[in-house]
Amino acid sequence: MPHYFLDIRNGNGFTADLEGQDQAGLAEAVAAARTGARSLMAADLAEGHLDTSGSIDVCDSEHVLLVTVTFAEVLAAATLNHPPSPPTAR
Amino acid sequence: MIGEALLHHLTTFGTLGPDDAAAVLAIDGEVRSYGRDCDIIRSGDRPTYSVLALDGLLIRYSPRADGGRQVYGMYFPTDAPCLETLHTDIMDHNLTPAVETRVALIPHAVLYETMDRFPRVLSLIWRQTLVQASMFRAWLMRNSSQPAHAAMAHLFCECLRRTQAAGLARGNVCDLPVTQEVLADALGISLVHVNRTLQILRQTGAVSFRSGVLEVHDPAQLAGIADFDPHYLHLHR
């Protein structure tokens, strides 16, 4: 399986992924980055703050940047995927 | 070798008289090697043996519906992670090596016979399985109530304390041959979050974890971050 590195950029600075991870392909690596972005923001929220300006760089085994997943787009996708609210009773 | 390792493990939790110790030393089994992630026992199996780690590292886990897994425990050399199979018919989780690991498979029949003849051995094996339950409670509490950096610090404190008790640590340094993925599965957080959390802990100066080696630079500071109290391990050394 191909190996990917997921480097983090957010308010805490740059966190290089020193170990990396095997994923079936780029789509799976991007999915891992999206999950990771959400888990980082969830941890921040639990402590009472939220930084949506961060991003995760998905790099290949040579540490060449392939895709950048921003925290904001992950949140926007979550909002768009939210099911419609039921009608409000009057 | 097998009896010696089992005696070493059991006496981590209590004491045995000379006759009891001799009986445990006489226990034997079959030595096998397993590669990383090659399950030794799977959920649904009905094992007729218990497993003793001789080197490497074992983990207990269950697969999750999302394709991940929840790791319940880590087992160092001389640990016996599934003595409860002496009294449970069917496995409800999996036991697998985190790295290439040699294990001893000890037939239940051999253990039953020893326990029948030596009640203090029976009592100590019972105690060991109760300590496993205590550790599961601690892991549940850690994962459900602590932020990621404190939870990871707690896990590291536990690993160091247990390897020290087993005589495996080199001062405040121990082998912890797991990937970040295993840490993620143990703590219930994402791999990205593990990476970030490792950096946070590294920045405190209390601990570093790299290439399967855990080095605790300041045990008191790490225990403070983790709110770690080792009494749940019920160690006698």
Side-chain angles (χ1 to χ4, degrees), chain B residues 11-134:
Chain B
T11 53
T12 304
F13 303 105
T15 54
L16 289 173
D19 291 347
D20 307 302
V24 174
L25 280 173
I27 288 175
D28 205 357
E30 179 188 350
V31 175
R32 285 194 197 171
S33 287
Y34 289 85
R36 175 182 160 188
D37 293 336
C38 293
D39 290 340
I40 300 168
I41 308 179
R42 289 189 178 134
S43 181
D45 285 354
R46 297 176 182 274
T48 57
Y49 51 83
S50 288
V51 177
L52 182 75
L54 298 175
D55 57 22
L57 191 94
L58 302 176
I59 56 175
R60 292 189 202 236
Y61 77 96
S62 289
R64 293 195 318 242
D66 63 1
R69 59 187 181 179
Q70 178 61 54
V71 169
Y72 304 119
M74 298 178 182
Y75 300 93
F76 297 96
T78 72
D79 279 349
C82 57
L83 283 172
E84 80 277 3
T85 58
L86 286 162
H87 299 293
T88 54
D89 296 331
I90 188 165
M91 281 291 281
D92 53 45
H93 60 279
N94 303 348
L95 181 69
T96 200
V99 288
E100 172 94 21
T101 297
R102 275 186 322 134
V103 301
L105 308 181
I106 304 174
H108 284 167
V110 172
L111 291 166
Y112 289 139
E113 185 187 353
T114 307
M115 292 190 299
D116 281 347
R117 293 175 53 210
F118 298 92
R120 290 175 71 177
V121 175
L122 167 66
S123 176
L124 205 47
I125 287 177
W126 187 18
R127 180 180 169 86
Q128 191 268 7
T129 59
L130 292 174
V131 173
Q132 295 296 307
S134 175

